[in-house]
Each structure stands twice: as C-alpha cells, then as structure tokens.
C-alpha cells in the first residue's frame, strides 16, 4: 500500500502546539476544564497536549484522564477479541467542560461511544472534541470536531496511520492508499 506523509515530526509538534494555544484561548487557565484521551491512540495525543499545556501554563492544574470506550461501542459484540485498556479518571466531571481527544476522526463511532462512557463519570457542562486528523468524509454520525490538527480528504479504502515516538519510535502521520495497479 503506497503511503504519503501528511505530518512529519516537526509539523506534528507545531500542530500540537497550535492546538494547545487554541485550547488556552477558549479555556483560559483550565479551572473548569478537563482533558480526556480516548483509548487507545487518542491517549498518546492527550498526554502530549496535557504535557505541553503544563509547560505553557506553569502553576495551572491541568486535569487529564484516559478512557476506554470498548464496551460502549455499538459494534463491540461483532469483534472477535476485545482487550480493554485502562480507564483512569481521578477527578469529578460533573459540571466541568470536557475536551475529548482522539487521534483520527473518521466515522464518529468512537466519539459516540466516548460520549456514552462519559456519563458514567458525571454530567459535564459541555463536551468538545479535539482530533489530530479529521477525515472529512464517510461520517456515520453527525459529529464534528471543535479543534482540528489537520483535515484531509480520503476515500473509504484509505487508511490514516498516526505514529508516536513512544510506541512506533517515530512521530508522524501517513495516508495509506490502496495500490491502484493491483
């Protein structure tokens, strides 16, 4: 499958920095805002964002959690093997502004599951969505992000792969397209 680099290491860093400043513009010192990374890949992005916000806003408390939505997905019974990841939320969501964070928004099903899972932790005042990559087409649900690293046009057979230094040894985002010659 041929691949095309969408964001290299440097541009990924710049994009994360820009997203952080957009969050600061809307949430000031994060007194009433929490960040929730969606397992598995959104967690890596949310960790980077939380770390960068702490660097930019020293002294501010940035609440960051991680949530697995496996059992809230509408297709979980259709999967052969379900290996849930850890959920770690050690703060109250009731009345807070929640920023859900995921790496790639495609059909919207993971985000819908994240909204369902949030209710187990309280009723937020507001929920926003931050994604690194917005695949603009093939949405199954009417969900749109509030914060976008990069929007790309893709077809159903394309795949977007986000690599993180912590797991793949390098940072970057690639678009994988089927070989049209096969």
């Amino acid at each position: 499958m041929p691949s095309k680099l969408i964001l290299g290491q440097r541009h990924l860093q710049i994009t994360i920095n820009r997203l952080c400043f957009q969050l600061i513009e809307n949430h000031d010192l994060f007194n009433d805002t929490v960040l929730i990374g969606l397992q598995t890949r959104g967690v890596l992005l949310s960790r980077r964002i939380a770390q960068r916000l702490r660097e930019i806003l020293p002294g501010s408390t940035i609440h960051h959690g991680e949530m697995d939505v496996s059992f809230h997905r509408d297709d979980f019974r259709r999967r052969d093997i379900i290996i849930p990841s850890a959920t770690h939320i050690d703060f109250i969501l009731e009345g807070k502004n929640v920023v859900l964070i995921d790496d790639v928004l495609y059909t919207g099903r993971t985000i819908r599951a994240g909204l369902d899972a949030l209710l187990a932790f309280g009723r937020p005042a507001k929920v926003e969505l931050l994604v690194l990559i917005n695949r603009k087409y093939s949405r199954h649900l009417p969900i749109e992000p509030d914060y976008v690293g990069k929007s790309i046009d893709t077809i159903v057979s394309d795949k977007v792969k986000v690599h993180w230094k912590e797991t793949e040894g390098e940072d970057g985002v690639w678009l994988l397209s089927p070989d049209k010659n096969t």
Side-chain angles (χ1 to χ4, degrees):
M1 209 179 246
S3 65
K4 175 184 174 190
L5 183 65
I6 297 172
L7 291 173
Q9 180 178 357
R10 182 171 174 267
H11 284 107
L12 182 59
Q13 256 182 319
I14 291 168
T15 300
I16 290 171
N17 206 46
R18 175 178 51 81
L19 290 168
C20 287
F21 280 104
Q22 288 176 326
L23 287 169
I24 292 168
E25 185 177 326
N26 291 333
H27 297 280
D28 196 26
L29 298 176
F30 290 81
N31 295 331
D32 295 316
T33 302
V34 301
L35 308 174
I36 305 286
L38 297 179
Q39 293 281 16
T40 56
R41 309 296 290 179
V43 166
L44 299 168
L45 174 59
S46 71
R47 287 176 185 166
R48 294 262 186 108
I49 288 174
Q51 175 186 355
R52 184 67 183 120
L53 286 171
R54 288 180 184 114
E55 292 168 1
I56 297 169
L57 301 170
S60 291
T61 300
I62 308 295
H63 291 287
H64 170 252
E66 301 174 357
M67 184 170 56
D68 180 31
V69 300
S70 297
F71 296 111
H72 294 272
R73 290 185 58 93
D74 58 2
D75 60 352
F76 89 92
R77 283 185 167 76
R78 295 182 196 152
R79 295 178 177 201
D80 292 334
I81 299 172
I82 299 172
I83 303 171
S85 300
T87 291
H88 178 73
I89 299 175
D90 61 356
F91 45 84
I92 304 294
L93 294 183
E94 192 74 33
K96 297 287 187 183
N97 297 314
V98 175
V99 180
L100 284 181
I101 300 175
D102 206 1
D103 61 344
V104 179
L105 174 59
Y106 182 34
T107 64
R109 294 167 86 133
T110 300
I111 305 309
R112 191 221 33 94
L115 292 169
D116 287 349
L118 269 181
L119 296 178
F121 296 94
R123 184 175 176 203
K126 182 178 182 180
V127 179
E128 295 179 328
L129 176 61
L130 180 149
V131 297
L132 181 60
I133 302 295
N134 178 23
R135 291 183 65 172
K136 296 189 304 189
Y137 303 114
S138 300
R139 209 70 95 233
H140 293 180
L141 299 165
I143 293 174
E144 290 299 320
D146 300 281
Y147 307 94
V148 176
K150 186 168 182 77
S151 289
I152 61 171
D153 299 333
T154 60
I155 59 175
V156 173
S157 58
D158 289 339
K159 293 186 189 294
V160 174
K161 293 291 183 189
V162 179
H163 288 198
W164 298 103
K165 191 174 191 173
E166 298 87 341
T167 54
E168 287 85 16
E170 65 179 337
D171 286 339
V173 181
W174 283 265
L175 175 65
L176 308 173
S177 298
D179 190 358
K180 307 215 182 339
N181 297 326
T182 58

